[in-house]
Amino acid sequence: MNTPHDEVVHQVCPHDCYDTCGLDVKRVNGRIMRITGAKDHPITQGFACLKVNRYLERLNHQDRVLFPLKRTGPKGSGNFQRASWDEALDAIGTKMQHIVQTYGGEAILPYSFSGNMGVLSEASMDRRFFNALGASQLARTICTASADMALRWVYGQRLGPDPETIGRAALILLWGSNPVVTNVHEIPLLDQAQSQGADIYVVDPLYTDTAARYGHHIDLNPGSDVALALGLGRYLVATGQYDKSFVAQYAQGFDAYLERAWPWTLDETARVTGVPVATIERLGERLASVRPLLLRTGYGVQRQEHAGEAVWAISALSVITGSYRDVGGGHLLGNGDAFPLNWDRLTRPELRSGNPRTINMVQLGDALTQLDDPPIKALIVYNSNPAATAPDQGRVLAGLRREDLFTVVHEQMLTDTAQYADWILPAAMAFETLDLHTSYWHRYIQLSPQAVLPAGEAVSNTEFFRRLARACGFKDAPWCQDSDEDLIRQALDTQHPWLHGITWESLQKRPVQKVNLKVSDRPFLDTKDHNGPLFRLYPLPVLPFTPPQTPAEYPLVLITPSRQNTIKSSFGNNPRLLIREPNPTIYAHQEDIEHLGLQDGQRVRVESPTGHVILQLRGSKQARPGVVLSYAVRWNQDGGGVNINQLTSQTLSDFGGGATFYSTRVRIIPWENEVE
């Protein structure tokens, strides 16, 4: 009798989440039997979220794509037949070469985001392929672009305090952040700070689970974050409570900042934000006097039209308060630039000839339906589900239905987007591949080795693009010959001191390693050369914030935050994770429900300038009057072929070209069961 071979291997959660958890995966005879949070990971601390605790259901899901599939019916019908890889690659290669010869490389558009956050899976062989092909470039702006650019404007890089110092803070301002839902491994750190006497304030137009947990809720009008941040800054300066010596020593552009902030008197700030004057004064005094002070901003704050200016104004608060003087203080939005990998070696931008156009992913609908010279004739989708997640969904779906649009989707599941594909190619899951992982929150780099063989005929993203490169005529090109190990070695081939000693060989022995920044290193003060100012307070080159108007036709603000049970559309086909919300739902304050003459539990038609959707209406204490919320995002099949992104627009933010999901205006009317 054979004895089962039982072992635990280190893996990394690949999903788009602050936590980037290390996982202990129990493997028995080549099969994964259990997935738990890694006990020896300093951040994960032995526990995983609800989603990952049920990851085996995803690995073995009935919707998994296991073999190449060729479309046999109309686009969107979901009719496919099994094919071989050779047949698929021959057809795809022939078609794409024809498109390049006829229209040029720019007629091909990649579309991807962070469905898999592995370094190799997200940005390596794929970028090489599209660079060599001369394809249109994709501006991947939908989630963090505005915040990233604003952080770099003020600080020069995306670096914040080490999350492991959160417990040292005495005052924490969670601004547009709901870690109970989106950053669960931050909760023990916040609880530690609170147990040691820290006060935690939550600035959010929604009464979130985090606001309920920590008690201090600053309830502001949606889209007024700029006003509150500038109003607080003006108050600190006008009352002489800002850190004059810190600003003088480390900042430039203070006078220009003051010019932008000075109109925001207490009365004007209160009028625009809805926050009482007394609350603003009390918060300002706390910001001036309590140390260490941590401003913890979430990415939710920048999903609005004035996104960049909001992050700039909050960042400026961290400077004028001198919050960086203390370990545990400063502004923590992300630590993405704590990992200075060799991106040029990974992505090979020199393969690109000329200057191909760049298309903003937020405006995919326009790109597929209006763009010309040349039009988009082929769409290659991976790591993303734009039929569900892109704004102005009606226009996106209209583009995907084009019979002359050749669509290839590399995917793990039969997603909404896959339903519109000409070819679906099976994608391996993270535990079935080798990859390297960084984090945009904590400072640990991790190696995730292949734990099991891919299911069916699935392949990694890197192997998919190697095969696609050969099919498109790049068979002998050296850039598509590199193995995944080669790619990891190239990523780590850097002289930057923060990655010194972290190599392929060292990660084999210790798959979880912290970059070479001490916990006690204060961002910028201890991590940069002090020749010259460290912080730039000059306003962004954008029009100053003006309060959003409330159009009579669309009186309600729609916010579409993340839910605890999914990550955007990932896990959206697991009904056990949606058991608390079996039907697509919109939540409103009881006052609004009564004012509209509606009933809790009623089905309603929600309309915006871009479209409409039928949802179930529920009362919620999270919503303030004038604000409604619907969690993002359901698979379209749950809503009769559409979801909440029927209502969101392709409007870009003020800085960085980001998405403006949280600036959506809607109206709600009864649904009379008319034919849709």
Side-chain angles (χ1 to χ4, degrees), residues 540-578:
L540 302 180
V542 300
L543 293 175
F545 168 77
T546 55
Q549 300 300 308
T550 302
E553 191 175 6
Y554 300 102
L556 302 170
V557 178
L558 170 67
I559 298 179
T560 52
S562 297
R563 62 162 55 83
Q564 194 168 23
N565 302 33
T566 62
I567 299 178
K568 295 302 181 259
S569 72
S570 296
F571 303 95
N573 59 335
N574 186 333
R576 292 182 61 190
L577 291 173
L578 296 170

Side-chain angles (χ1 to χ4, degrees), residues 417-431:
T417 307
Q419 304 291 334
Y420 292 89
D422 293 285
W423 285 94
I424 307 173
L425 287 310
M429 289 195 176
F431 303 158

Side-chain angles (χ1 to χ4, degrees), residues 17 23-24 137 141-142 329 358 372 377 419 448 542 595 649:
C17 173
L23 303 173
D24 288 336
Q137 299 291 295
T141 63
I142 200 165
T358 297
D372 204 352
K377 302 295 288 185
Q419 304 291 334
S448 189
V542 300
H595 175 73
S649 82

Side-chain angles (χ1 to χ4, degrees), residues 607-621:
E607 300 176 343
S608 81
T610 63
H612 72 271
V613 63
I614 308 302
L615 300 171
Q616 189 169 33
L617 177 65
R618 290 290 188 190
S620 173
K621 294 180 180 179

